[in-house]
Amino acid sequence: MLKPAPTWTDKQTLDLRGFNPVPVRTWGGLHVLYRRHHGTYATRYAEDYSRPIGPEYLIHPALEDCRPTPGTHPPLLTGAIYSRTTRQAALWLVRRGDLLQPINRPVSYFLATRKPRRLEKPEKNWLLWLHGPDQLRGFYNACPHVMIEPGHDSATWSVTHKHNWNPPAWTRPLSPVLRGSTAPVALPSGRLLALWHLKDQSGGYWTGATLHAPDWPHNPEAATARPLFTPADASKVSPLWPPNTCVFPMFLELATSGLATLWAGDSDESCCVYRAPVENLLQTMEPIR
């Protein structure tokens, strides 16, 4: 199996008691949201990520693996709730004083063509993003590539695009399904970059990425020829869900300087920030045949 490409030039571990972090930026500063078992918490953090500058507070006790939808104001937060049938849910956040607070109870969303059953594999961790100022889209699987859009009923979504593509050779011994990790971000060229993950039979997580045309949803044009993370990059076995070993990407940001910042969980216990020039990510890719 290939070793990961030498992509990341810097890693910073955040002083937080949780994992799977994401940033939410407001006029009042940076708030880092993270998961602890089956709930989501937040802490105000210094802009240089050096330390917390506020108390920890609860966002929701049962909504987990939360991600903000880029470009939404106030922030639209989505995550999964495990209770009988696992479901995708969303809520809006507002800033009140130095804290972020939900302004509604989590609203559940389902695919319009399916009625969820209790023992069915959950549809969770959809990655939502704005394709233009008024068109909300999302994807669930990265391969097969499944795009969704809101249906006529505000609580349902419809599949509008589905395509099987040829994933990189290194993924094939591991898993037939690639799950989405980060919502797509636009490069200066207009093309869209998204990260995904897959899990091998021993509980190890592997990370790759794809490049897409600007007028998404088009099929991937290129993918990483080597993994960006492997189970060996995790600091230890997960204390919550052994034998999992994972670096789990949650959120990708691009700076005008060309620097990519990746927010990720490590072994279901730590919050980490990785940095690298965008060019490093692009150099790991090869055209999809």
Side-chain angles (χ1 to χ4, degrees), residues 10 29 49 55 198 202 214 222 243:
D10 180 51
Y49 312 150
L198 62 160
S202 65

Side-chain angles (χ1 to χ4, degrees), residues 56-68:
E56 177 183 85
Y57 58 97
L58 178 67
I59 296 292
H60 195 276
L63 192 64
E64 64 180 64
D65 285 340
C66 290
R67 293 174 172 90

Side-chain angles (χ1 to χ4, degrees), residues 112-143:
T113 56
R114 301 177 63 183
K115 294 182 178 180
R117 296 184 293 272
R118 183 170 182 176
L119 299 179
E120 187 177 34
K121 190 170 184 178
E123 294 165 344
K124 63 185 184 71
N125 296 336
W126 295 347
L127 301 166
L128 304 187
W129 64 290
L130 285 174
H131 183 66
D134 57 358
Q135 189 173 22
L136 190 64
R137 288 178 173 169
F139 73 91
Y140 177 49
N141 286 345
C143 185

Side-chain angles (χ1 to χ4, degrees), residues 1-5 167-176 178 196 198-202 204-208 224-233:
M1 181 61 65
L2 292 174
K3 293 182 179 180
W170 63 267
T171 68
R172 294 168 198 160
L174 301 173
S175 172
L178 312 182
W196 37 263
L198 62 160
K199 187 177 181 181
D200 63 31
Q201 293 182 349
S202 65
Y205 283 74
W206 305 70
T207 298
T224 43
R226 291 174 177 264
L228 299 177
F229 293 109
T230 76
D233 294 302

